[in-house]
C-alpha cells in the first residue's frame, strides 16, 4: 500500500505524527484485507513460510490492497499494473477444499468490492461454478462465448477439448 501513503520524506524519517497516522490506517486496512480470507493470525508470518494455498490467497489480497478496478486471475502469467492486477495461478496446486474456498472467496471479493473479476483458468469445476460468462479459446481464437451451460453443451468446445467422437 506504499502508493497510498502521502507523508513526506522528512515526516517518515523523523516519524512525525502524520507518518504514524498513515501507518496505523494502512495497518488497519491490511488487517481488514487479511480478515477476508481469515488470515489475521498470519499477519506476522513471512509469505514464503505460508502453505501454498495461503500464498495464493495472500497474492489476491495484495492485489486488492492496490484498490484495482479489475482483478485479473490468470494461471499462466504475472503482471503488475496500477489499475489492475494479474495474478499467477489462482488455483494451481490447490487441493479440492482449497479450490472450493477460493471459489467462495472470489465470489465474496466480487460482491464486497464491487469489482469485475476476469479469470483465466483450466480448472473447469472452478470456471463452471464461478463464472457468469465464459469465452473459450482454441489456439488463440475464440471458439465460443456464453453461459457455463452454453459452453458445456457447445459441440465446437467439446471437440476442441475432448476430441472428436468416433462414429460407431
Amino acid at each position: 500500500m506504499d502508493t497510498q501513503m502521502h507523508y513526506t520524506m522528512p515526516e517518515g524519517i523523523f516519524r512525525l505524527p502524520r507518518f504514524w497516522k498513515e501507518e496505523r490506517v494502512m495497518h488497519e486496512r491490511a488487517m481488514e484485507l487479511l480478515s477476508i480470507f481469515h488470515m489475521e493470525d498470519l499477519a506476522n508470518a513471512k509469505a514464503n513460510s505460508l502453505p501454498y494455498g495461503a500464498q495464493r490467497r495472500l497474492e489476491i489480497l495484495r492485489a486488492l490492497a492496490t484498490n484495482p478496478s479489475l482483478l485479473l486471475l490468470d494461471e499462466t502469467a504475472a503482471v503488475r499494473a496500477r489499475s489492475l492486477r494479474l495474478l499467477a495461478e489462482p488455483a494451481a496446486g490447490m487441493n479440492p477444499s482449497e479450490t472450493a474456498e477460493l471459489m467462495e472467496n472470489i465470489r465474496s471479493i466480487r460482491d464486497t468490492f464491487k469489482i469485475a473479476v476476469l479469470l483465466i483458468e483450466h480448472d473447469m469445476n472452478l470456471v463452471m461454478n464461478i463464472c457468469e460468462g465464459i469465452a473459450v479459446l482454441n489456439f488463440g481464437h475464440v471458439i465460443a462465448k456464453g453461459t457455463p451451460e452454453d459452453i458445456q453443451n457447445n459441440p465446437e468446445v467439446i471437440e476442441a477439448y475432448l476430441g472428436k467422437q468416433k462414429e460407431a
Side-chain angles (χ1 to χ4, degrees), residues 124 128 134-139 142-145 147-166:
M124 286 301 102
M128 293 299 170
I134 299 172
V136 180
L137 300 176
N138 188 25
F139 295 106
V142 176
I143 60 170
K145 287 184 184 179
T147 65
E149 296 78 25
D150 295 337
I151 298 303
Q152 286 175 326
N153 298 313
N154 184 300
E156 198 171 352
V157 172
I158 293 168
E159 182 179 329
Y161 285 88
L162 298 178
K164 200 171 196 169
Q165 263 189 333
K166 293 182 182 178

Side-chain angles (χ1 to χ4, degrees), residues 8-147:
T8 64
M9 187 183 311
E11 287 171 324
I13 291 170
F14 295 112
R15 306 290 201 244
L16 298 177
R18 185 172 171 183
F19 166 83
W20 290 113
K21 179 183 178 209
E22 289 195 23
E23 287 290 326
R24 185 182 69 255
V25 168
M26 290 304 138
H27 181 266
E28 289 168 2
R29 175 77 174 130
M31 294 305 290
E32 177 185 317
L33 287 169
L34 286 171
S35 73
I36 292 170
F37 290 163
H38 311 290
M39 296 177 67
E40 307 96 311
D41 57 326
L42 301 172
N44 295 318
K46 291 187 178 201
N48 65 359
S49 72
L50 298 175
Y52 188 77
Q55 288 182 21
R56 300 286 73 81
R57 291 189 303 274
L58 183 60
E59 286 180 0
I60 293 170
L61 294 175
R62 288 179 59 205
L64 289 172
T66 67
N67 298 320
S69 54
L70 172 65
L71 182 65
L72 300 172
L73 301 175
D74 182 0
E75 70 175 6
T76 60
V79 174
R80 299 206 189 317
R82 185 171 170 80
S83 64
L84 30 112
R85 282 289 180 227
L86 182 58
L87 301 176
E89 307 176 34
M94 289 186 171
N95 64 41
S97 66
E98 289 173 326
T99 301
E101 184 180 345
L102 174 65
M103 219 180 321
E104 191 53 43
N105 288 330
I106 292 171
R107 280 191 198 102
S108 175
I109 287 165
R110 179 192 63 204
D111 298 341
T112 302
F113 292 89
K114 306 289 187 225
I115 60 175
V117 178
L118 176 63
L119 177 68
I120 301 171
E121 179 62 66
H122 285 94
D123 181 331
M124 286 301 102
N125 182 49
L126 177 64
V127 171
M128 293 299 170
N129 284 295
I130 198 163
C131 296
E132 296 167 350
I134 299 172
V136 180
L137 300 176
N138 188 25
F139 295 106
H141 299 314
V142 176
I143 60 170
K145 287 184 184 179
T147 65

